[in-house]
């Protein structure tokens, strides 16, 4: 279980949140330039009804909250991983990373680096559609 980002409304993120529906988990940080590049795609996915959970990686709460205030918040829930321990458990070695999670809470795909339109169209969206069948 990860606590919420201090100063933001809403709960943190727990393993149980990842069960019951197909979703994405996106590991991000305010200091991450590639996270800024991919963020509009995450916003677009959220607008299309894709559930996205966030893990905020090694980020001061005030900076994370300000970044989300500026960029928008596409996340259904966000957990603050201040120590980076949870990201290590997920095998993350850099941000951003995005995971496709099936309705049983299992990781079905891992995307390392910033998402681009071709990644969504060629891999992520088809996989989400298949898992939702």
């Amino acid at each position: 279980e990860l606590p919420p980002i201090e100063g933001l409304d809403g709960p943190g993120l727990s393993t149980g949140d990842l069960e019951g529906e197909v979703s994405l988990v996106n590991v991000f940080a305010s200091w991450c330039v590639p996270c800024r590049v991919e963020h509009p795609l995450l916003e677009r996915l959220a607008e299309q009804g894709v559930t996205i959970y966030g893990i905020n990686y090694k980020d001061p709460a005030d900076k994370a909250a300000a970044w989300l205030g500026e960029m928008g918040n596409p996340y259904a829930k966000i957990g603050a991983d201040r120590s980076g321990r949870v990201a290590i458990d997920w095998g993350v070695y850099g941000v951003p990373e995005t995971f496709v999670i099936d309705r049983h809470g299992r990781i079905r795909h891992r995307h390392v680096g910033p998402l681009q339109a071709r990644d969504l169209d060629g891999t992520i969206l088809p996989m989400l559609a298949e898992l939702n069948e």
Side-chain angles (χ1 to χ4, degrees):
E1 284 195 32
L2 288 171
I5 295 172
E6 292 174 27
L8 289 183
D9 290 335
L13 182 65
S14 70
T15 302
D17 294 326
L18 304 180
E19 296 177 356
E21 69 178 328
V22 176
S23 62
L24 297 179
V25 172
N26 177 254
V27 183
F28 73 99
S30 66
W31 45 263
C32 165
V33 174
C35 295
R36 184 173 289 272
V37 171
E38 80 171 0
H39 202 77
L41 293 176
L42 296 174
E43 291 267 293
R44 187 178 100 198
L45 286 172
E47 288 169 6
Q48 293 173 355
V50 175
T51 300
I52 307 171
Y53 297 108
I55 296 176
N56 182 238
Y57 179 72
K58 291 187 172 184
D59 219 355
D62 60 332
K63 295 200 185 290
W67 190 79
L68 289 165
E70 173 192 343
M71 300 292 293
N73 185 352
Y75 304 107
K77 294 182 178 180
I78 304 171
D81 187 14
R82 287 188 278 282
S83 70
R85 182 70 211 155
V86 170
I88 289 170
D89 291 345
W90 280 63
V92 172
Y93 53 87
V95 290
E97 287 194 24
T98 303
F99 299 85
V100 176
I101 309 297
D102 70 17
R103 64 189 70 215
H104 303 288
R106 294 182 303 228
I107 296 171
R108 298 298 294 268
H109 177 75
R110 174 184 183 185
H111 180 87
V112 176
L115 289 171
Q116 297 181 26
R118 70 174 181 263
D119 303 315
L120 293 184
D121 296 337
T123 304
I124 303 295
L125 291 173
M127 182 171 285
L128 291 174
E130 178 183 327
L131 291 172
N132 275 313
E133 288 180 356

